[in-house]
Amino acid sequence: MEVMNEIWASDQIRSAVLISSKPGCFIAGADINMIASCKTPEEVTKLSQEGQRMFEKLEKSTKPVVAAISGACLGGGLELAISCQYRIATKDRKTVLGTPEVLLGILPGAGGTQRLPKMVGVPAAFDMMLTGRNIRADRAKKMGLVDQLVEPLGPGLKPPEERTIEYLEEVAVTFAKGLSDKKISIKRDKGLVEKLTSYAMSIPFVRQQIYKKVEEKVRKQTKGLYPAPLKIIDVVKTGIEQGSDAGYLSESQKFAELTMTKESKALIGLYHGQVLCKKNKFGAPQKEAKHLAILGAGLMGAGIAQVSVDKGLKTILKDATLAGLGRGQQQVFKGLNDKVKKKALTSFERDSIFSNLMGQLDYQGFEKADMVIEAVFEDLSLKHRVLKEVEAVIPDHCIFASNTSALPINEIAAVSKRPEKVIGMHYFSPVDKMQLLEIITTEKTSKDTTASAVAVGLKQGKVIIVVKDGPGFYTTRCLAPMMSEVLRILQEGVEPKKLDSLTTSFGFPVGAATLVDEVGVDVAKHVSEDLGKAFGERFGGGSVELLKQMVSRGFLGRKSGKGFYIYQEGVKSKNVNSDMDGILASLKVPPKSDVSSDEDIQYRLVTRFVNEAVMCLQEGILATPTEGDIGAVFGLGFPPCLGGPFRFVDLYGAQKIVDRLRKYEAAYGTQFSPCQLLIDHASSPNKKFFQ
Amino acid sequence: MTSILTYTFKNLPNTSKWALQFSVRPLSCSSQLRAAPAAQTKSKKTLAKPNMRNIVVVDGVRIPFLQSGTSYKDLMPHDLARAALSGLLHRTNVPKDIVDYIIFGTVIQEVKTSNVAREAALGAGFSDKTPAHTVTMACISANQAMTTGLGLIASGQSDVIVAGGVELMSDVPIRHSRKMRKMMLELNKAKTLGQRLSLFSKFRLNFLAPELPAVAEFSTSETMGHSADRLAAAFAVSRQDQDEYALRSHSLAKKAQDEGLLSDVVPFKVPGKDTVTKDNGIRPSSLEQMAKLKPAFIKPYGTVTAANSSFLTDGASAMLIMAEEKALAMGYKPKAYLRDFVYVSQDPKDQLLLGPTYATPKVLEKAGLTMNDIDAFEFHEAFSGQILANFKAMDSDWFAQNYMGRKTKVGSPPLEKFNNWGGSLSLGHPFGATGCRLVMAAANRLRKEGGQYGLVAACAAGGQGHAMIVEAYPK
């Protein structure tokens, strides 16, 4: 700001270029901690207004200011850029523009809600601000968000990145001069579509319709659980309908209100957690894993292969049969080809990435593997067999990772000659979409093995939690009691559709009944039997008989076309599988009326989940509550607006959760007994998982 | 081993040099013939290698290179190639039936004459017993044709080779869309009216959108001009430097044309049109005029324009290459030896046009020469920016160390020895034919200007490159 004042004061300077000296980043947003340190909404409002004033001064600058953008230009960075007179961006993958505030439960609080609609039009501005999506430079140019693009350069007399920034600066300076000499106009030629939209937007009736439409859509998607999107709409509307003074005022006030919400605190907590879980706290492994081998070309194996080859890891995909292998190879190809269709890859890049994959039926080349990840069927004796086979062919340093969702790793490692090299890597399906990777270490797993597994996971783009070995590890273990409750609720006569709507309206992205179908009824049965054996009565509730009967009838969920619902290729709307009625009727149990209200049903599910999660921390399965929250949200779809089970306890209040558990305990018994750690938190209100 | 040998040669006094050669190549019948005149040239060694046949270019010709869409526009590629071959026959009087093999380079293929070498050879009256094949390697296709011939001679498979290249950019294959082609092929197989009608019912208007060929990399979809502009920017080559270099190329080409130095050009009587005798793309302009042009690829601030790029060209070239003993036995006075050559390749995105930078030090090392030994440089000029970027890269220790795995730079060629008779920017660049032009320009310049070694280098699409040492044949 001081520099800007100097520029405005000096007669010698006629224009300016704003550029970041940090490669790969223009400005990735304001400091979230600055907002967190504010105690009252008034403080935040003041902060926001300061930002607004600063950018307004920039916007009204008589000397043209050009923003030269290379790398992330997000949040406050974008608000700064759109206050400048001209924007030039490098056209590379690292350069993205966006307003991710909504993902943190807040809104662009430094004039963004007012400037963006004017710059890119109301519909596009809503899209940006309500989804928080990153926009690549070339798309930004088409939208009118940037005025010029600069191509990234290759090697010259300096490293490419360095020279590219220099070149961006040179080009930006040329434009800055051109602007001050009035040789270049800041007015952009609008396309026909753009002209039509902006004309349509000048009609009040059309505008009202758009607000209404967007609001409806937001309400439907957020189910009223997230306040930020609605406030964004409101602020934009105020600015357009009542003028910019009202708009700016509303922006700063609503911004302040949002920063004080539980939702925002939950989402910001998740953001911090995600950053933490993208780091390797075990340090760099002794040997970087470059050659991967994956056993089993099923849904998981092929998915793991896909996220490996596109990061440049040489990957062997081995299966027992040619048909199975072919299916897996096709899955990888399709995953890559879909990116080509979305123009995220060129067909040439796809081919070159695909050449990192070697599909085979034998163990050829395993002598060069740095890590083997097995994703064969969940059967201990089978896993033992492949472990022995693999250990006969791999080099000494090679790590053996098991992708299992419930089989204890130490049982798998029992037959290993080198248990320090055995680790669990629990991926989530679909692997290319789900961000979480749960890494499981046994007592014997060496630190270097863990470091290497985390390094590979990070390379694959995963958010990683590292947990101790035990039945169901962390994620599956939390899910199991909740699933047991799901079965009981269904047995008590709640319709699958009703149950789904109760869970989604609580904030789960997928309804509970649908989740069983997606996971696979046979898998669910397997897991609940295994964990039922391990944990006994506490994991009881619904009857596994329900799942057994479904499996015997072939209702395996989505993969077999039938589960609680009927799945048909090309048909979007799901119909309830009426054949389930008989099974459900035969296993019906009478509901208990005092714990069967809609809210009680929701809390029966959530409190069992949360209680189990806290118990995992208590038992040392989890190292930190952060990992518990990240694992629950990114792996199991725990409502992000609640921030994860631990954040939820902090924000909702441990006492209230314990009270609920006690109430259900009275009805159903020990399955709902709160764990000691939770009771401790309830009895001393100062105790928080996150300070 | 070779380099050790050649190194010793270099340091030996002149008198013992030939004695040594005798001992190394006692079986060569031609060494005696060669020894006498060779001793008269400068004190530089010759690049003859023990146990390797000496290969010479007897002579080479090209039809005038014309801007696309001018006098050659109604012809087909093999017509141009035929004219070059006829010109070669006329120039050299070589008996057609002693030619062992004919090889041509071309880039954009006319599908009807995909082996254009064969069609042109037949049409030019070569023996139908002489096999011919066509090679393609983008802008170094003719170089590939020549070096394929070198391989055939060196391995003793052939003694007499005709190598050349052709490109006709006035007409390029514009195809139906894949969907349309698929429908037409299926229609071919359809037997009943019903089948045909059902195929027709699938027809959509967008099937008619044609597929145009582009001078773009398949791997990156980037056009070459775009890449050249980025390359110029990466090496901080200014627009003015590029325009100045282009002007130099045109001025030198004009001078060479006026002074009759472009002796490889043979006239071509185009059917139905006047005889073409001169290249028609040479147009020296002024820097002011050139500065007015808008950038052609990176708009609006790029530096590569129509004036500092090579233009779309029609043309063909051909050369007669022989084993030295064969040429001498037939009474020819060869123009030059064709010596060491290399092919290189690198990243097709960011280093697309840096072939000469990579190839030059490699070929010099192979031949045991340094930049100072070279008397005539003939580099393919795709773009001014490309040439100047290559100069900067060749002159950079940083680039040599970080990208080429070399300890030091090779150095950039002295401009007074560089493309003195114009280059692709001014004479034109028929993709498949340029290689032969470069070699003949080097050979003719060595004869005219004196000097022993010429260095030919070129970049090509796909991020490939080539360089070859041409050694003057002793007068």
Side-chain angles (χ1 to χ4, degrees), chain B residues 127-398:
Chain B
S127 161
D128 60 4
K129 302 284 188 294
T130 304
H133 81 262
T134 302
V135 295
T136 189
M137 200 174 179
C139 304
I140 49 178
S141 296
N143 308 72
Q144 187 52 261
M146 286 184 283
T147 55
T148 304
L150 296 192
L152 288 174
I153 296 176
S155 61
Q157 301 298 313
S158 308
D159 291 325
V160 181
I161 295 283
V162 169
V166 59
E167 206 68 44
L168 182 78
M169 294 299 289
S170 292
D171 181 32
V172 291
I174 298 171
R175 300 197 294 181
H176 269 302
S177 68
R178 181 85 190 239
K179 285 174 190 155
M180 186 69 188
R181 300 202 306 266
K182 194 175 163 206
M183 197 181 90
M184 288 158 96
L185 288 170
E186 277 170 3
L187 212 55
N188 250 348
K189 287 186 210 146
K191 292 202 175 64
T192 65
L193 185 65
Q195 283 174 342
R196 283 192 196 118
L197 282 177
S198 92
L199 274 170
F200 274 124
S201 72
K202 287 184 198 141
F203 176 80
R204 298 288 175 274
L205 214 55
N206 69 6
F207 285 19
L208 291 175
E211 262 178 29
L212 298 164
V215 189
E217 283 297 296
F218 179 75
S219 59
T220 61
S221 312
E222 187 182 25
T223 61
M224 199 177 264
H226 198 277
S227 190
D229 207 321
R230 286 198 305 116
L231 185 72
F235 283 93
V237 177
S238 72
R239 164 79 183 265
Q240 195 184 342
D241 286 350
Q242 294 181 44
D243 284 352
E244 277 170 12
Y245 182 83
L247 186 57
R248 173 191 187 268
S249 180
H250 280 281
S251 310
L252 290 177
K254 181 87 176 84
K255 189 161 169 276
Q257 192 177 51
D258 290 348
E259 290 173 7
L261 297 174
L262 305 176
S263 59
D264 55 338
V265 176
V266 292
F268 177 20
K269 169 67 183 82
V270 180
K273 292 201 172 103
D274 289 340
T275 302
V276 181
T277 58
K278 285 200 295 188
D279 302 323
N280 74 356
I282 306 172
R283 38 185 180 151
S285 163
S286 68
L287 286 175
E288 295 72 46
Q289 286 293 327
M290 293 168 89
K292 281 184 194 157
L293 284 178
K294 286 193 172 150
F297 300 99
I298 296 189
K299 297 163 187 172
Y301 57 85
T303 53
V304 173
T305 68
N308 59 36
S309 316
S310 56
F311 49 89
L312 294 182
T313 312
D314 301 337
S317 54
M319 265 165 57
L320 182 60
I321 302 173
M322 289 193 190
E324 183 185 28
E325 70 268 19
K326 179 82 180 179
L328 295 178
M330 290 184 68
Y332 280 118
K333 179 84 188 138
K335 284 207 155 165
Y337 291 108
L338 299 180
R339 297 299 195 189
D340 294 282
F341 64 86
V342 294
Y343 286 93
V344 293
S345 60
Q346 59 282 336
D347 168 24
K349 177 151 184 64
D350 290 331
Q351 303 187 34
L352 181 69
L353 304 170
L354 286 179
T357 298
Y358 281 85
T360 299
K362 247 177 129 174
V363 79
L364 286 175
E365 218 155 70
K366 211 171 165 208
L369 299 176
T370 67
M371 283 297 257
N372 292 332
D373 294 319
I374 305 297
D375 304 299
F377 291 90
E378 278 296 328
F379 278 33
H380 163 51
E381 299 166 343
F383 303 88
S384 281
Q386 165 257 336
I387 285 289
L388 297 175
N390 271 286
F391 283 178
K392 288 198 173 191
M394 290 164 87
D395 207 27
S396 161
D397 279 327
W398 186 86

Side-chain angles (χ1 to χ4, degrees), chain A residues 644-686:
Chain A
F646 296 93
R647 181 79 54 178
F648 175 61
V649 173
D650 279 2
L651 293 174
Y652 185 80
Q655 186 59 52
K656 278 201 209 158
I657 292 172
V658 169
D659 290 346
R660 288 225 175 240
L661 281 163
R662 294 282 185 216
K663 174 178 169 195
Y664 305 137
E665 189 184 22
Y668 294 110
T670 53
Q671 291 143 16
F672 284 96
S673 304
C675 70
Q676 191 55 46
L677 187 57
L678 201 52
I679 295 171
D680 290 350
H681 274 246
S683 53
S684 59
N686 289 332

Side-chain angles (χ1 to χ4, degrees), chain A residues 171-454:
Chain A
V171 173
V173 168
T174 319
F175 276 94
K177 281 185 188 151
L179 285 167
S180 68
D181 295 344
K182 308 265 186 268
K183 276 186 196 153
I184 298 163
S185 152
I186 49 172
K187 285 238 166 64
R188 212 166 49 86
D189 291 334
K190 287 185 176 176
L192 183 64
V193 180
E194 253 179 282
K195 279 182 192 156
L196 283 176
T197 348
S198 62
Y199 171 72
M201 288 310 294
S202 67
I203 307 164
F205 174 74
V206 177
R207 288 204 301 269
Q208 294 306 328
Q209 288 303 309
I210 288 182
Y211 301 141
K212 223 175 97 189
K213 250 287 169 48
V214 174
E215 217 173 290
E216 265 171 33
K217 205 172 160 193
V218 165
R219 277 190 201 284
K220 202 175 151 205
Q221 280 179 355
T222 62
K223 306 196 187 304
L225 296 168
Y226 297 84
L230 293 172
K231 291 240 157 73
I232 290 173
I233 299 170
D234 199 34
V235 172
V236 169
K237 200 158 122 185
T238 309
I240 293 172
E241 305 301 330
Q242 299 171 31
S244 54
D245 284 348
Y248 281 118
L249 185 65
S250 164
E251 180 186 89
S252 59
Q253 287 170 344
K254 296 271 165 35
F255 176 72
E257 283 169 31
L258 283 173
T259 56
M260 298 291 143
T261 57
K262 277 183 189 171
E263 289 80 2
S264 156
K265 290 203 164 74
L267 291 169
I268 289 175
L270 277 179
Y271 169 77
H272 286 308
Q274 202 182 356
V275 172
L276 273 180
C277 293
K278 284 250 180 202
K279 288 187 182 136
N280 192 345
K281 57 182 173 187
F282 297 89
Q286 283 166 21
K287 190 173 189 304
E288 192 193 347
K290 286 178 181 159
H291 295 265
L292 233 57
I294 295 164
L295 301 174
L299 216 54
M300 295 303 286
I304 300 167
Q306 190 194 324
V307 299
S308 306
V309 288
D310 68 358
K311 312 299 183 314
L313 290 166
K314 295 267 173 216
T315 305
I316 293 172
L317 185 61
K318 181 197 174 301
D319 201 272
T321 67
L322 196 60
L325 178 64
R327 197 217 61 82
Q329 285 169 313
Q330 180 59 32
Q331 183 187 329
V332 177
F333 182 83
K334 186 175 175 297
L336 296 171
N337 201 38
D338 287 347
K339 286 192 182 170
V340 173
K341 283 183 189 157
K342 284 188 208 144
K343 303 222 165 124
L345 281 182
T346 67
S347 62
F348 191 83
E349 286 166 324
R350 173 200 64 202
D351 297 345
S352 144
I353 290 169
F354 196 61
S355 74
N356 286 333
L357 185 75
M358 181 61 78
Q360 59 193 51
L361 301 175
D362 56 17
Y363 284 108
Q364 191 196 336
F366 273 57
E367 70 279 0
K368 270 200 280 180
D370 300 312
M371 180 180 287
V372 175
I373 302 175
E374 68 78 16
V376 299
F377 190 71
E378 296 269 40
D379 176 84
L380 192 61
S381 59
L382 177 63
K383 300 223 181 216
H384 280 165
R385 204 185 80 211
V386 297
L387 173 61
K388 282 188 219 155
E389 277 178 21
V390 166
E391 282 193 345
V393 288
I394 53 176
D396 288 341
H397 73 275
C398 181
I399 291 163
F400 183 90
S402 185
N403 172 59
T404 169
S405 57
L407 291 176
I409 304 302
N410 62 53
E411 283 179 31
I412 295 173
V415 299
S416 170
K417 288 184 288 188
R418 37 209 269 298
E420 73 281 2
K421 295 280 182 197
V422 180
I423 197 165
M425 288 174 89
H426 178 200
Y427 290 85
F428 293 75
S429 184
V431 182
D432 59 326
K433 302 254 157 46
M434 296 293 282
Q435 286 193 60
L436 189 72
L437 168 63
E438 182 180 31
I439 289 179
I440 305 106
T441 60
T442 70
E443 295 290 316
K444 289 180 182 159
T445 308
S446 75
K447 187 172 162 271
D448 187 58
T449 300
T450 313
S452 194
V454 174

